[in-house]
Amino acid sequence: MAASLAAFPPAHCCSALQLNQRKVPPERIHGCFFTKRPFKQPEFSPSHVTCCSLRSVVTLSESKSQSTNDRDTEVRRLCEMGDLKSAMELLLDSRHSQLEMKTLCSILQLCADLKALPDGAKVHEIISASNILLDALLGLKLVFMYIKCGDLRNGRMVFDVIQKENIFLWNLVMNEYARIGEYNECISLFGQMLESGIEANSHTFSCILKCVAALGSARDGKKIHALVIKMRFDSYNAVENALITCYSKCKNISLAQVVFDKMLDRDVISWNSMIGGYVSNGLPEKGVHLLRQMWFSGVYMDLATLVTVLPACAQMCFLLQGRVLHGYAIKCVRGEEITLNNSLLSMYTKCQDLDSGVKIFSKMKKKSVVTWTAMISGYVEGGQFYKALRLFEVMEEEGVMPDLYAVTTALHACACSGSLEHGKQIHDYIIRNGLELHLFVANALMDMYAKCGSMVDAESVFNNMEEKDLVSWNTMIGGYSKNSLPNEALSLFSQMEDLKPNSVTVACALPACASLSTLEKGREIHGHILRNGLFSDCYVANALVDMYAKCGALVLARLLFDHIQMKDLVSWTVMIAGYGMHGQGRHAILLFNEMRKSGIEPDEVSFIAILYACSHSGLIDEGRRFFHIMRYDSKIEPKLEHYACMVDLLARAGRLTKAYQFIEKMPTQPDSTVWGALLCGCRIHRDVKLAEKVAEHVFELEPENTGYYILLANIYAEAEKWEAVKKLRERIGRQRLRKKPGCSWIELKDKVHVFFSGDRSHQQAKKILSFLERVNVRMKKEGYISNKRYALIDLDDSGKEEVLCGHSERLAIAFGILNLPSRKPIRVSKNLRVCGDCHEVAKFISKMVGREIILRDSNRFHQFIDGRCSCRGFW
DNA sequence: TACGACAGAC
């Protein structure tokens, strides 16, 4: 594209914007607005050509017999009447006598009008066989016929061999290339045309600007703009309007606005183009504002105006304005019903007025695939996924072929409802109809599989894609992150070579860092965010604060939080939750109150965060107060998560009976998390009897979760009820359940070192165990008795000590102490809750070596400094 | 012998 444009004659004043200080054409000065043709503009004159050809016909015909002349007249008469069949018969009869050029032109014209390609080709054949000279006019007619009949290949073949002095001929061929999407070929022809000295006209510029718009390069748009001004076509509305559209499609809305502002007599298309530019560039409010200006300037809205501005109303949920436009349409706008109804239907459903959308849909006599898609999408928007998918089936039953939009919408319905099976059926349909290679379809397929939890299927689509865009990568990275596959997410993120991560990419990758607690990788992404100015994106800023909080860098998280200019509810919630998981309940409460003062109302998620923070800091009264505020001030009906937090709060504080009664009074059926919270409390306060009662509820609700069996086993072990432990282990064995192996990890330079319980495979295993042995000796010397209860296995004491010594978190901490520089804190993460004995050991080590240890377990953070832990026993 | 605006999707 750039190469072909570089071949254009130089536009002497380089910048299109500078050039736009145009001269007023003389006809305007004289007050005549009817002719807008710039002076010196060579235009093709039909009358001139007719005269020439008539003259040549006369010369050619002089020697012909009277009968040929009659036949010519007859063929032309038949052509005028539209009787192609008879005209062709007569033409074939006259095979051996040459017909007049004018007659051949008439018949080709009729073939073009009737799109009769075989007849047209036959005429071409006769012309070739009769050795008639293919002059400019006959050549043009042939090209015209072929193109009108949709045979560009043959049209181009004729075009290549004939004289090309006629601008109409060039425009004809170029327009066809633009129509079928061969924009580069069209632009290349434009270059050839200028080189051969043919001057472009307004139609040429409309066509070229359309191609530049489709290719999306504002730079090329400016080059053409400069040429438009140089050749004085900047007073043509069609060209100016095409320029507005071109700049808007190239995402340079300010240049589009410059063109629009300088126009002297804007027509309805100029207004529509500018409104459409705003809407498609994500500026719907400007679009609606311009509509008002258009109205006050006295230009009447037409069908295209409504179809352009209704999506803007939809985007901004301007239902009232949408209704007003609907009323106007009924009264004043005539035109194709289907297009307008599609826009209205979409507007209503996007403005949450599904009923009005359904009403329009059911009243529509003629429906296109767009109509069906808009209605399916409306149901998805309204959360009625089943109806959406059923409508997709009905559409097929009615014989409407789904297109790209329809299948992506149906896939979206599957994604939102988690219907993997339905999604797979649509995938089959897509394959059967050869749509799977389309970028948007493949992206929608991956999104569907990711949201339905099948990353294996998503991967298979991703790996088979011929072309991938940023959305494809973001969908996969986000899919891995949300499906608890953070390693895969970060691995894919690091494979992005050709494409530059955008704000969505980093917002998808950061939760993976948060989940793995990989602070170094998170910092690296933070660097990318700063270098590319992505922090202003609220999603990015929130994900960054969350990442730092979850990687144990709470101070840094707060620092960044304070730097967010426009804090939204998520920003506050993330920070409150951060304080909560670090056991800083008081800070969480301060922030929660500050948020409300700033005018942001908490939602159910922020209440979970504050209740969690209270329970992890032992703030019972405060927790109860927030629960009350949520129900009675904020009028939010508590969900299971809120109840679980309240049970946790009461149980941790030792009010086990109260917690039990609280569960019994719940208006909804408690789930395993609610009972599980009480079970944890039973462990902390060593209530074996209640634990057994509670555990049965938990086992019934979630029989596959080994974590709860282990929890009860812990409770028995701590009470030294070894017989009960044995029975429970037998039960686990009978049910063929496997304990999730404990694992901890620590980052060192660019590598994450993973340790499993009893793991001796690490290359530094010897060094680590010897360090832990030294710790053990020191601890014993200082009167520490190892808390063998936590080993959970009924062995003799020395055996238990060995098992304790091999707990994964302990190995990771030892590895950190031995390898990290002394000023750096030791950051370890564990997939399960920290073992009680390891918790004691971590406290001891922090004092013994004078290092800060930050341990994140599956529940919260423990920050060990100088022999103390930030959790103060609330874990 | 034509040109410019317009609905639904990840």
Side-chain angles (χ1 to χ4, degrees):
Chain A
M1 165 73 189
S4 47
L5 278 180
F8 294 166
H12 297 297
C13 311
C14 306
S15 156
L17 292 177
Q18 289 165 356
L19 277 166
N20 213 4
Q21 296 160 354
R22 61 186 175 197
K23 287 177 191 161
V24 180
E27 57 265 36
R28 289 243 166 90
I29 296 168
H30 296 294
C32 170
F33 284 83
F34 296 105
T35 31
K36 291 190 198 158
R37 184 169 300 157
F39 42 82
K40 266 192 181 173
Q41 185 48 46
E43 283 281 340
F44 181 75
S45 153
S47 58
H48 169 74
V49 168
T50 320
C51 290
C52 283
S53 37
L54 275 178
R55 211 174 304 137
S56 62
V57 167
V58 171
T59 340
L60 275 168
S61 316
E62 268 171 78
S63 60
K64 283 190 185 171
S65 67
Q66 190 58 40
S67 69
T68 316
N69 266 337
D70 291 347
R71 208 165 16 238
D72 272 307
T73 316
E74 180 58 10
V75 172
R76 288 208 291 269
R77 195 187 63 80
L78 288 167
C79 285
E80 262 171 41
M81 287 163 61
D83 186 353
L84 182 61
K85 200 167 165 267
S86 311
M88 281 305 288
E89 276 167 14
L90 207 56
L91 175 74
L92 291 169
D93 275 352
S94 354
R95 206 173 256 279
H96 302 292
S97 56
Q98 210 165 311
L99 281 172
E100 283 179 11
M101 208 73 90
K102 196 179 166 191
T103 314
L104 292 169
C105 285
S106 299
I107 203 157
L108 282 172
Q109 175 69 49
L110 186 60
C111 292
D113 291 345
L114 300 176
K115 299 204 187 319
L117 181 61
D119 288 328
K122 195 117 219 141
V123 178
H124 187 189
E125 220 174 84
I126 291 169
I127 293 170
S128 308
S130 326
N131 281 328
I132 299 174
L133 183 73
L134 212 55
D135 77 343
L137 182 64
L138 193 59
L140 184 147
K141 273 286 172 196
L142 264 176
V143 176
F144 179 72
M145 179 277 297
Y146 276 123
I147 285 178
K148 288 284 157 188
C149 293
D151 184 353
L152 177 60
R153 209 174 65 89
N154 274 311
R156 178 64 193 260
M157 262 154 61
V158 177
F159 174 82
D160 284 340
V161 296
I162 57 170
Q163 254 197 322
K164 293 179 273 283
E165 284 166 0
N166 185 329
I167 184 65
F168 173 75
L169 175 69
W170 285 91
N171 289 347
L172 185 67
V173 178
M174 280 162 52
N175 260 314
E176 188 58 13
Y177 278 113
R179 198 187 63 80
I180 62 166
E182 297 228 9
Y183 308 113
N184 281 318
E185 182 57 22
C186 176
I187 290 167
S188 151
L189 276 177
F190 178 56
Q192 288 172 36
M193 185 191 98
L194 295 182
E195 266 175 41
S196 62
I198 311 287
E199 279 205 53
N201 68 10
S202 65
H203 298 279
T204 324
F205 281 112
S206 303
C207 174
I208 289 302
L209 285 165
K210 198 194 277 176
C211 295
V212 172
L215 296 169
S217 158
R219 234 176 108 223
D220 292 333
K222 283 188 213 170
K223 284 186 189 170
I224 301 290
H225 191 178
L227 210 54
V228 164
I229 296 165
K230 186 182 162 229
M231 294 177 72
R232 317 196 71 171
F233 281 107
D234 51 336
S235 55
Y236 276 66
N237 268 16
V239 177
E240 296 277 81
N241 295 344
L243 267 170
I244 294 171
T245 308
C246 177
Y247 281 134
S248 345
K249 292 214 166 138
C250 296
K251 311 246 165 279
N252 197 330
I253 198 68
S254 45
L255 283 183
Q257 205 175 316
V258 170
V259 177
F260 179 79
D261 289 344
K262 291 202 170 173
M263 282 180 82
L264 295 175
D265 59 340
R266 305 174 189 119
D267 58 18
V268 64
I269 297 180
S270 321
W271 289 94
N272 291 350
S273 308
M274 197 60 229
I275 293 171
Y278 282 133
V279 179
S280 59
N281 278 280
L283 298 162
E285 65 290 346
K286 283 201 164 189
V288 173
H289 180 73
L290 199 65
L291 179 80
R292 268 182 223 124
Q293 274 180 262
M294 171 184 172
W295 185 251
F296 290 124
S297 74
V299 178
Y300 286 108
M301 293 187 269
D302 67 359
L303 185 104
T305 320
L306 293 170
V307 171
T308 309
V309 86
L310 281 167
C313 296
Q315 272 181 49
M316 293 183 296
C317 269
F318 280 1
L319 183 60
L320 191 68
Q321 283 89 334
R323 277 191 208 284
V324 171
L325 292 173
H326 189 178
Y328 178 87
I330 292 168
K331 274 191 176 171
C332 314
V333 177
R334 293 283 156 265
E336 210 188 335
E337 179 209 41
I338 198 159
T339 320
L340 179 65
N341 278 333
N342 290 345
S343 321
L344 283 167
L345 162 54
S346 182
M347 180 277 294
Y348 278 121
T349 59
K350 288 208 170 112
C351 292
Q352 316 299 321
D353 185 354
L354 188 58
D355 290 345
S356 298
V358 172
K359 224 179 257 176
I360 292 183
F361 180 78
S362 53
K363 275 188 186 166
M364 282 172 77
K365 288 188 194 88
K366 272 192 192 164
K367 292 183 181 81
S368 69
V369 66
V370 177
T371 321
W372 290 89
T373 310
M375 194 65 248
I376 294 168
S377 177
Y379 278 129
V380 176
E381 197 111 18
Q384 303 198 21
F385 308 118
Y386 175 75
K387 278 194 180 168
L389 289 169
R390 177 69 202 123
L391 200 66
F392 183 71
E393 287 170 357
V394 176
M395 176 182 81
E396 278 188 276
E397 284 159 20
E398 300 257 323
V400 181
M401 279 289 283
D403 64 357
L404 300 175
Y405 291 93
V407 294
T408 44
T409 308
L411 286 172
H412 188 54
C414 300
C416 291
S417 56
S419 329
L420 183 61
E421 278 317 303
H422 229 115
K424 284 192 169 175
Q425 282 170 22
I426 296 174
H427 192 175
D428 283 342
Y429 175 88
I430 288 168
I431 294 170
R432 280 202 306 279
N433 289 280
L435 293 168
E436 83 273 25
L437 292 178
H438 192 279
L439 184 63
F440 272 24
V441 175
N443 287 347
L445 270 170
M446 285 189 296
D447 184 59
M448 180 275 291
Y449 281 126
K451 293 214 169 95
C452 292
S454 177
M455 286 311 290
V456 178
D457 286 309
E459 251 168 38
S460 146
V461 176
F462 184 75
N463 293 334
N464 286 318
M465 284 171 81
E466 280 179 355
E467 181 202 358
K468 296 181 181 88
D469 69 352
L470 204 48
V471 177
S472 327
W473 288 83
N474 293 349
T475 306
M476 282 304 285
I477 294 169
Y480 282 133
S481 271
K482 285 184 195 114
N483 281 291
S484 311
L485 294 163
N487 282 309
E488 285 77 357
L490 291 180
S491 155
L492 200 64
F493 178 74
S494 62
Q495 288 170 43
M496 287 178 81
E497 281 165 4
D498 304 335
L499 290 166
K500 197 170 150 193
N502 68 358
S503 54
V504 180
T505 326
V506 294
C508 286
L510 284 169
C513 300
S515 142
L516 291 168
S517 236
T518 50
L519 186 62
E520 287 310 313
K521 186 78 195 165
R523 280 203 177 119
E524 212 179 277
I525 297 179
H526 189 180
H528 177 88
I529 291 167
L530 294 178
R531 283 191 300 278
N532 294 283
L534 302 175
F535 190 76
S536 55
D537 183 305
C538 216
Y539 282 89
V540 172
N542 295 343
L544 206 52
V545 171
D546 186 55
M547 182 276 293
Y548 277 118
K550 286 186 177 149
C551 287
L554 192 65
V555 179
L556 211 51
R558 178 60 199 249
L559 210 68
L560 281 169
F561 170 80
D562 290 336
H563 274 92
I564 301 178
Q565 297 282 324
M566 300 284 284
K567 295 180 186 67
D568 65 1
L569 180 60
V570 179
S571 326
W572 292 92
T573 307
V574 159
M575 197 60 229
I576 291 165
Y579 278 127
M581 66 184 83
H582 283 268
Q584 301 200 14
R586 294 276 171 210
H587 278 108
I589 293 174
L590 279 174
L591 206 63
F592 191 87
N593 294 336
E594 212 182 300
M595 171 181 83
R596 292 186 77 193
K597 258 191 226 155
S598 79
I600 291 188
E601 275 306 305
D603 71 347
E604 50 182 67
V605 182
S606 28
F607 274 111
I608 294 173
I610 193 67
L611 290 173
Y612 172 97
C614 290
S615 83
H616 281 264
S617 299
L619 302 168
I620 305 172
D621 294 334
E622 290 82 349
R624 283 179 155 170
R625 193 167 61 82
F626 282 117
F627 193 72
H628 192 273
I629 291 174
M630 174 176 79
R631 291 187 84 167
Y632 302 105
D633 289 4
S634 299
K635 309 261 185 275
I636 294 172
E637 209 32 59
K639 290 198 166 158
L640 286 166
E641 290 98 320
H642 303 106
Y643 285 113
C645 280
M646 286 309 287
V647 171
D648 196 62
L649 184 83
L650 293 166
R652 272 176 206 282
R655 303 194 188 173
L656 299 176
T657 320
K658 267 241 151 65
Y660 194 87
Q661 288 165 350
F662 182 84
I663 296 178
E664 283 188 320
K665 278 189 206 154
M666 272 172 64
T668 46
Q669 210 52 26
D671 70 347
S672 60
T673 58
V674 177
W675 286 113
L678 182 53
L679 194 60
C680 282
C682 292
R683 180 186 172 180
I684 298 167
H685 300 285
R686 316 244 167 98
D687 190 333
V688 180
K689 225 173 152 192
L690 184 63
E692 284 177 329
K693 202 167 144 188
V694 172
E696 281 316 311
H697 287 289
V698 181
F699 295 159
E700 197 190 322
L701 289 162
E702 223 182 309
E704 304 270 301
N705 190 335
T706 47
Y708 292 124
Y709 293 94
I710 304 297
L711 189 57
L712 184 64
N714 274 328
I715 296 168
Y716 285 139
E718 283 164 17
E720 306 213 347
K721 293 192 171 227
W722 304 113
E723 193 51 36
V725 173
K726 200 177 151 200
K727 275 191 185 163
L728 195 62
R729 289 175 73 202
E730 280 166 8
R731 187 171 167 183
I732 297 174
R734 267 201 310 280
Q735 287 176 262
R736 298 207 175 140
L737 297 174
R738 277 179 184 272
K739 181 183 177 288
K740 194 173 167 189
C743 110
S744 301
W745 59 94
I746 181 167
E747 229 181 353
L748 182 73
K749 289 176 189 152
D750 282 341
K751 214 178 152 206
V752 175
H753 295 257
V754 185
F755 296 88
F756 287 90
S757 196
D759 194 353
R760 299 201 174 177
S761 61
H762 195 276
Q763 53 182 17
Q764 288 189 28
K766 260 192 177 169
K767 228 169 121 187
I768 292 167
L769 290 175
S770 132
F771 171 79
L772 286 173
E773 195 45 52
R774 281 207 310 277
V775 172
N776 228 6
V777 172
R778 281 279 294 274
M779 285 172 84
K780 273 191 183 157
K781 251 190 205 167
E782 296 192 17
Y784 168 88
I785 304 156
S786 89
N787 212 339
K788 297 176 195 80
R789 288 193 312 266
Y790 294 103
L792 297 182
I793 297 168
D794 189 16
L795 300 170
D796 62 48
D797 277 4
S798 66
K800 263 189 244 177
E801 243 171 53
E802 201 181 308
V803 173
L804 285 172
C805 216
H807 268 171
S808 64
E809 58 269 51
R810 206 177 293 203
L811 298 173
I813 291 171
F815 175 79
I817 304 250
L818 292 169
N819 290 282
L820 282 163
S822 57
R823 64 196 154 75
K824 278 209 166 184
I826 315 296
R827 297 174 190 275
V828 170
S829 304
K830 191 188 176 185
N831 64 337
L832 306 172
R833 276 185 196 226
V834 60
C835 141
D837 198 56
C838 291
H839 193 263
E840 288 305 307
V841 172
K843 277 192 202 169
F844 188 86
I845 295 179
S846 72
K847 193 172 181 181
M848 182 181 126
V849 294
R851 302 282 292 264
E852 181 186 357
I853 301 169
I854 299 165
L855 174 64
R856 192 185 88 171
D857 71 7
S858 60
N859 203 34
R860 61 166 295 153
F861 274 97
H862 302 266
Q863 186 184 21
F864 303 95
I865 300 174
D866 201 25
R868 275 193 296 269
C869 178
S870 62
C871 77
R872 285 169 293 136
F874 288 101
W875 56 286

